[in-house]
Amino acid sequence: MGGEGHMLDMIRRLSEGREASRLRCERTSQRLKQMTQAGEHFSLPDTTPEEMERIIKDSEKKKEKDSNYFVWGTLIIMGTLVAIAVILWAIFIK
């Protein structure tokens, strides 16, 4: 039964995807920093500090929600795979 390799491959792919999106996020924030530092050339839409704070808080909340979904999704997938493995094991080891 080659199910373990497939599962590990899936987990690896999920964590690679998470890493890629983290890097993308970092790059975006770097770009934003550069844009605000080069404020003379690049006028960002006039957002007040309060608005910026709210935007940042909202994106933090969204990030938290996304990671919660990821954790629950992973747990559900793992649970399902374990259940299938146990059922198959019960069928074939009789």
Side-chain angles (χ1 to χ4, degrees):
M1 224 165 86
E4 301 89 29
H6 176 69
M7 197 161 94
L8 289 174
D9 189 48
M10 197 172 64
I11 292 168
R12 188 175 51 76
R13 235 178 319 188
L14 280 172
S15 64
E16 277 173 8
R18 213 168 60 198
E19 186 64 16
S21 68
R22 191 182 62 78
L23 286 171
R24 224 182 357 260
C25 189
E26 276 177 17
R27 270 201 298 272
T28 307
S29 68
Q30 281 300 111
R31 210 172 300 133
L32 258 178
K33 266 193 210 124
Q34 287 167 356
M35 276 162 63
T36 49
Q37 281 166 4
E40 311 85 58
H41 328 288
F42 236 119
S43 65
L44 280 168
D46 330 319
T47 42
T48 63
E50 290 83 20
E51 280 179 300
M52 279 308 287
E53 208 172 295
R54 186 181 53 76
I55 292 167
I56 292 167
K57 273 200 190 114
D58 287 352
S59 69
E60 287 294 314
K61 269 191 209 141
K62 188 188 176 314
K63 248 191 280 179
E64 208 174 286
K65 228 190 246 161
D66 287 352
S67 69
N68 281 349
Y69 281 133
F70 180 81
V71 169
W72 280 109
T74 307
L75 287 175
I76 290 167
I77 291 167
M78 298 291 273
T80 308
L81 289 172
V82 167
I84 291 169
V86 166
I87 291 166
L88 288 174
W89 181 75
I91 291 169
F92 289 114
I93 310 292
K94 271 189 175 159

